[in-house]
Amino acid sequence: MTLLIVGATGTLGRQVARRAIDEGYKVRCLVRSSKKAAFLKEWGAELVPGNLRYPDTLAEALSGVTQVIDASTSRPTDSLSIKQVDWEGKVALIQAAIAAGVERFIFFSILDADKYPEVPLMEIKRCTELFLAESGLNYTILRLAGFMQGLIGQYGIPILEGQPVWVTGNSSPIAYMDTQDIAKFAIRALSLPETENQAFPVVGTRAWSAEEIINLCERLSGKDARVTRMPINLLRAVRGIMRFFQWGWNVADRLAFTEVLASGKQLNASMDEVYTVFDLDQQQTTTLESYLQEYFSRIMKKLKEVDYQKNKNKKQKPKKTPFKQSSKANSQ
């Protein structure tokens, strides 16, 4: 049995690949660049070239594959739009999976996608869920809220470096989850008949607002945050300007998603039943406090080591001897 992972070089996809390999799955990864995916090969995965934008490349990648986990998504810096990757690409992948006789298909969606039809990424996720449910494939949909990994660049690094931390509108409390924990649910779903043709929320232990996360980072780092608030109307104006340029469409669509995070509406769901179905222990799920504590402890230790080495080098640096005048000059 071969498992194909799409989007395996991403923040979530690499954790899914790592977990699958560790659990003994024969893993194949669809990649656009073998060079960027070299670490997956080192882990033990088979790399196959392909691109969701080119359906002709998918048939070979799916040959002999019995299970698929799709962790791919467009990035703000991609030249391709959200529609091209997250809709057209997904449709092509699902159709290719049907043709290949795939037995299980795991898809990552977004929690409450049906509540935001005006947000392109949310609406595309909702439509993809419907398309997958009507495809005839045995599927499992995991609806996510946010990744803890993203908080490092958003809050951790700026606070450590004294850079501004941007907060937009009325920050929405979000139940962030460690991607390693999300990977557990994805891999477990492959072997549980109870998860077939079902959708489940997969979120963290509690929802955190931006202000709560900033306060936690300040406490753990011992540094004060420079919080800069961006009015929601300014964000909308920037989004409108970006829509005038084709190169800015993808960024504009991502800015629309930012409005969800600034709406003040909580992005969270009960996980009690989910843990029971997946037979996983909620006590082993990483909390945001422990995740950030581990990060700051590691960084602060590294910074202390760097400072110690700098001071040590200064002490070892030979002192300059005063310039001695020549004997002739002394005699004068």
Side-chain angles (χ1 to χ4, degrees):
M1 298 176 69
T2 300
L3 167 64
L4 177 68
I5 299 176
V6 185
T9 58
T11 303
L12 174 57
R14 65 181 59 205
Q15 296 300 339
V16 172
R18 178 80 270 178
R19 184 81 187 185
I21 293 168
D22 289 345
E23 293 197 12
Y25 281 85
K26 182 180 179 183
V27 175
R28 180 184 297 174
C29 299
L30 182 75
V31 298
R32 287 183 293 177
S33 169
S34 297
K35 184 177 181 180
K36 291 182 179 180
F39 68 95
L40 294 169
K41 188 174 182 180
E42 292 176 0
W43 289 353
E46 175 192 358
L47 305 184
V48 292
N51 193 319
L52 295 182
R53 288 290 297 131
Y54 302 101
D56 292 344
T57 66
L58 301 178
E60 183 177 349
L62 285 161
S63 178
V65 167
T66 53
Q67 301 161 314
V68 173
I69 296 181
D70 177 22
S72 63
T73 188
S74 61
R75 298 170 182 171
T77 55
D78 283 349
S79 58
L80 301 174
S81 67
I82 289 176
K83 181 182 177 182
Q84 288 175 307
V85 177
D86 289 87
W87 173 243
E88 295 172 1
K90 305 293 185 179
V91 168
L93 178 63
I94 292 169
Q95 290 176 332
I98 295 170
V102 168
E103 298 172 8
R104 291 299 304 276
F105 193 105
I106 312 297
F107 173 66
F108 293 107
S109 188
I110 302 176
L111 193 68
D112 294 341
D114 58 329
K115 297 180 181 179
Y116 298 91
E118 73 283 1
V119 178
L121 183 59
M122 301 288 263
E123 177 63 6
I124 285 174
K125 289 290 188 181
R126 183 189 71 83
C127 291
T128 306
E129 284 191 25
L130 292 175
F131 186 81
L132 181 58
E134 296 172 357
S135 68
L137 286 170
N138 286 328
Y139 68 90
T140 301
I141 296 170
L142 304 180
R143 294 170 176 158
L144 315 179
F147 303 159
M148 290 183 186
Q149 281 71 12
L151 301 178
I152 301 303
Q154 187 175 358
Y155 300 104
I157 294 175
I159 289 175
L160 284 172
E161 296 183 348
Q163 299 299 317
V165 176
W166 292 89
V167 178
T168 306
N170 185 14
S171 67
S172 302
I174 299 171
Y176 296 96
M177 197 175 206
D178 189 335
T179 53
Q180 292 186 28
D181 290 323
I182 297 172
K184 293 179 186 177
F185 284 91
I187 301 305
R188 182 61 63 89
L190 295 173
S191 59
L192 292 177
E194 299 89 337
T195 66
E196 288 185 9
N197 304 324
Q198 300 287 331
F200 301 92
V202 176
V203 299
T205 55
R206 61 157 283 198
W208 290 74
S209 68
E211 291 77 12
E212 289 177 313
I213 297 173
I214 291 170
N215 290 338
L216 178 60
C217 290
E218 287 181 319
R219 178 166 60 82
L220 293 173
S221 67
K223 296 179 178 292
D224 293 330
R226 291 174 52 197
V227 179
T228 302
R229 291 190 174 273
M230 176 183 287
I232 191 68
N233 289 334
L234 177 59
L235 178 68
R236 289 169 180 160
V238 172
R239 181 190 170 203
I241 293 172
M242 297 301 289
R243 293 296 301 174
F244 279 107
F245 307 96
Q246 185 173 353
W247 54 263
W249 289 353
N250 205 19
V251 175
D253 288 343
R254 290 287 177 175
L255 288 176
F257 182 73
T258 304
E259 289 200 35
V260 176
L261 309 181
S263 66
K265 297 178 182 177
Q266 184 169 269
L267 209 58
N268 196 8
S270 173
M271 286 285 289
D272 294 340
E273 185 179 345
V274 181
Y275 279 103
T276 300
V277 172
F278 283 76
D279 192 26
L280 291 171
D281 184 1
Q282 188 170 6
Q283 297 301 316
Q284 295 182 0
T285 298
T286 304
T287 64
L288 185 60
E289 297 102 316
S290 63
Y291 179 83
L292 288 176
Q293 185 173 29
E294 194 277 333
Y295 168 75
F296 280 111
S297 295
R298 188 174 67 251
I299 293 300
M300 299 308 288
K301 180 181 178 182
K302 186 66 176 177
L303 291 174
K304 287 181 180 179
E305 290 174 354
V306 171
D307 288 340
Y308 171 78
Q309 191 62 44
K310 284 182 178 179
N311 292 331
K312 185 179 178 181
N313 291 339
K314 285 181 180 179
K315 291 179 180 179
Q316 292 178 347
K317 193 173 182 180
K319 294 181 179 181
K320 291 183 178 180
T321 55
F323 176 74
K324 293 183 179 180
Q325 294 181 316
S326 65
S327 57
K328 183 179 180 180
N330 291 335
S331 64
Q332 293 176 348

